[in-house]
Amino acid sequence: MEKLLVENKEKIMTLQEFITKFNVKLNKQQLEAVQSVEKPTLLLAVPGSGKTTVLVTRLGYMIYCLGIRPEEILTVTYTVAATNDMRKRFASIFGDELAARLEFRTINGICAKIIGYCEICVGKKAFDLLTDESYKTKLLSAIYTELIHQYPTESDLKNISTLITYIKNMQLSENEINKIGNEQDIPLLKIYSAYCDEMKKQSLMDYDDQMVYALTMLKVSPQILEYFQEMYKYICVDEAQDTSKIQHQIIALLASKYKKVFMVGDEDQSIYGFRAAYPEALLSFEKNYDNANVLLMEENFRSNAKIVTAADRFIQKNKFRHEKHMKAFREAGTEIQKIHLKNRRAQYSYLAKVAENTDVETAVLYRDNESIIPVVDLLERKGIAYRIKNADLTFFSHRVVMDIKNIIRFAMEPTNTEIFMQMFYKINTYMSKAVATQVCKISQERGITILDAAIDYGDVPAGTRKSVKSMQTHLKRMLEESGGKAIYRIIHSMGYKEYLDRSNIKDSKLSIIQAIAYNEPSALALINRLDELAMLIKEKPYDNGCKFILSTIHSSKGLEYDKVYIMDAVDGIFPENVIANYETCKAKGEEAKEYEEERRLYYVGVTRAKNELCIFEFDDGSTFTNELLGIENKNSANSSDIYGITGISSTRSMSKSSSYKNSIDLTKPTSYQKTETKRKKITESEYADKIEEIYLTGTVMHKKYGLGKVLKISGDLLEIEFDGRVTKCKLKFMMEHSLIE
């Protein structure tokens, strides 16, 4: 390509010459964005609207048509991968030589440059950048152990690290840090302070510190600020909706002199709130930048028109957004498919069959990494090819998963005091810590099991002794059962679910464990399978040629696939909580913020599909999916996943006083039975089989009222809907009186 001499005005092209020379094919909105250079501009680009093409073309336009030196332009991207991609895209159109004169950097790359210049100015080296994540993990582990007096899991450490990033990027106060800590039941401020102190002591900074220090330097040193303002007179920001509060402050300072900032983003696609993404900066752009220009790119070139129309209808219900509408470039294609299945578990075998017969690029998208683990389990068992994007292994080290494994291990090792002290208060032993410590000592001294020590020798009250005997029976029987029955016993009969409830710990992991356990012949086999799966996922080579892709929605952002399946889009899982009648309600603050982010995540997921979109549906469906498809929503209250049974019915929207007004009395024998029918004796094994069946199907068949949907399981108590009417009943009673088949 000919060398560009921008200083020579005669060499500058007209817009039409530029379009012709570089074969530019842009619509009216895109061309307007390309030409908006001389004042602060926010470009709101809907999914599939070609924002990268516009960004790259705009850079060429600035150089060739406006005579702007490439060295004066800074392009900020969200990731290193995006930086490399954009540089390659630019080079493919305008040549490598010109691309080399442009700066494409992440915000951390800019901050590193600022800190480096400061080092030169003061003649002193700044803190060393900590790039070794394992060292950071080791440091956090030591702090966690010292302050909480227990060893953290991988999941705990990841959570702490994410929170520290959030604190620094959002510039939270001590009160705000304490609030988060209280919500998560951890001494977060103490952990955060200890971590910062230790980093300073060792003259280290992490990537978040890098931004904090760079911002401080720009604020306190007019010399440094002016140096970079003159260097970067034109600033372009990609994925502005994912940029954090502190990052926006750095960009605002750099742009404060010349005001030639160009931000491309879409608050409808802001899904990194947990990483401190700050979409509020887009909503307040006109307030923050005088004489600002807000432009729209509303045409979606990716998806068929039915997907575009539905996705736009859905996102319009969000309140914190700019007014815009996504419009389809393509014609209508295949209808959005709603796949109705009995329960959550049925997804897994369905997707395994899809994977066997995939001939186009097909992505399975999900909210949380854990959702896909049962699918991976089946695919590995069947030897079906798949590729998994950015797999996260923290599920396997999560407290709930470790607890389940420890309970099973204790059943196998009844003298293991270390395991017992980790789980005695999580199951119904009803022992104090002092008593638990005592019986462990007796067990070691006498060479007997811990529970035998408690029953025969410990200072254990009579009621507690009875509970311990019961627990001993449960532990023995657990080892004789299938994996599914053993897990059910732990959850429902041994008190583990009650422990989670009183500790305010989410129980979503349990349904995943149960799905895997269903395929295992024993509790021991389940432990082995969990360890095996963790290793299989960790060592899975990434096969670029495989057409069946597993990915979180977060990891799919910016990508597209011929066909998309959305997993677990049910109330209680995705979204985790439902705000009824959100459009008209007065929800605000954190509740509204979190709910809108979940809505945006769903929106991003469905807009990854080019040709076909398939969404799984269970029970009464999903608030999100109903809104997407324009179906009047039946679900009006919060729901939770009860081990694979999702429970919301139209009747639940009634007030407490009226919700059971028309309920069925299931305690009476059916019309064709004699009232004096002899009560059947139900064995524990029969009961366990029936409860497992209900878990798997989500239904019961009543001899008079027919098929009923199980909305909720609480111990022996079932909440069931028959033809729009809801009732509560005891399972054992119905079985004893032969009321259900």
Side-chain angles (χ1 to χ4, degrees), residues 33 36 39-45 58 237 239-241 248 261-267 279-286 289 291-297 322 324:
S36 183
K39 60 181 181 178
T41 300
L42 173 64
L43 176 61
L44 298 168
R58 183 178 178 274
V237 183
E239 302 288 8
Q241 75 282 343
H248 275 291
V261 62
F262 181 78
M263 287 192 182
V264 184
D266 180 11
E267 68 279 351
E280 291 89 340
L282 274 64
L283 297 173
S284 59
F285 187 84
E286 291 167 283
Y289 293 93
N291 196 31
N293 202 9
V294 179
L295 304 177
L296 302 177
M297 280 183 12
H322 286 92
K324 57 184 175 297

Side-chain angles (χ1 to χ4, degrees), residues 310-333:
D312 183 65
R313 174 172 53 229
F314 175 82
I315 204 63
Q316 291 301 319
K317 293 190 178 184
N318 273 27
K319 299 175 182 179
F320 306 110
R321 62 189 299 273
H322 286 92
E323 179 62 32
K324 57 184 175 297
H325 283 276
M326 184 165 56
K327 301 163 187 174
F329 174 79
R330 294 176 56 193
E331 295 181 355

Side-chain angles (χ1 to χ4, degrees), residues 303-546:
S303 307
N304 92 55
K306 290 191 182 293
I307 297 170
V308 172
T309 302
D312 183 65
R313 174 172 53 229
F314 175 82
I315 204 63
Q316 291 301 319
K317 293 190 178 184
N318 273 27
K319 299 175 182 179
F320 306 110
R321 62 189 299 273
H322 286 92
E323 179 62 32
K324 57 184 175 297
H325 283 276
M326 184 165 56
K327 301 163 187 174
F329 174 79
R330 294 176 56 193
E331 295 181 355
T334 307
E335 296 279 354
I336 297 172
Q337 187 182 355
K338 199 164 55 163
I339 304 169
H340 188 85
L341 300 173
K342 290 186 293 187
N343 52 46
R344 188 181 184 187
R345 185 179 165 273
Q347 291 175 117
Y348 311 142
S349 47
Y350 188 103
L351 287 170
K353 289 178 182 175
V354 170
E356 281 186 299
N357 302 288
T358 297
D359 55 1
V360 297
E361 196 171 53
T362 301
V364 179
L365 305 182
Y366 35 92
R367 178 184 184 267
D368 300 312
N369 275 285
E370 65 196 45
S371 289
I372 205 62
I373 292 173
V375 179
V376 170
D377 179 41
L378 280 180
L379 295 174
E380 289 288 350
R381 289 175 190 275
K382 296 174 180 287
I384 301 170
Y386 68 96
R387 56 177 153 132
I388 188 162
K389 207 171 178 316
N390 297 337
D392 186 339
L393 296 172
T394 53
F395 168 85
F396 298 98
S397 67
H398 191 275
R399 288 258 170 232
V400 172
V401 180
M402 299 304 291
D403 284 347
I404 295 292
K405 291 168 75 172
N406 277 338
I407 293 168
I408 296 170
R409 284 180 178 134
F410 182 69
M412 299 163 57
E413 305 172 37
T415 60
N416 192 317
T417 56
E418 185 180 347
I419 292 178
F420 180 74
M421 291 305 295
Q422 290 181 47
M423 47 71 68
F424 77 92
Y425 59 94
K426 300 176 182 180
I427 56 176
N428 292 339
T429 65
Y430 299 108
M431 290 186 200
S432 66
K433 188 174 182 179
V435 171
T437 304
Q438 181 203 39
V439 298
C440 282
K441 187 178 178 183
I442 295 170
S443 166
Q444 290 177 323
E445 289 172 350
R446 294 182 173 269
I448 59 177
T449 71
I450 296 167
L451 297 189
D452 278 340
I455 295 166
D456 297 331
Y457 301 101
D459 296 331
V460 180
T464 302
R465 188 173 282 109
K466 186 179 178 182
S467 297
V468 173
K469 284 182 178 178
S470 174
M471 194 55 54
Q472 195 174 48
T473 302
H474 282 306
L475 289 165
K476 286 178 180 176
R477 289 181 177 174
M478 184 201 307
L479 298 179
E480 301 166 357
E481 297 173 325
S482 68
K485 288 181 181 177
I487 295 302
Y488 184 86
R489 184 183 292 276
I490 292 170
I491 295 167
H492 293 288
S493 302
M494 295 171 64
Y496 185 67
K497 176 65 167 61
E498 286 87 340
Y499 158 74
L500 294 181
D501 289 343
R502 65 177 179 263
S503 303
N504 200 27
I505 299 172
K506 293 177 184 176
D507 60 13
S508 59
K509 305 286 186 296
L510 293 178
S511 60
I512 305 298
I513 297 170
Q514 193 134 5
I516 298 167
Y518 179 74
N519 295 308
E520 297 299 338
S522 68
L524 174 60
L526 169 62
I527 288 182
N528 293 336
R529 184 58 179 170
L530 287 169
D531 293 341
E532 188 180 25
L533 275 173
M535 190 60 66
L536 285 168
I537 295 171
K538 183 180 180 179
E539 296 179 352
K540 183 76 177 177
Y542 193 74
D543 180 5
N544 281 309
C546 181

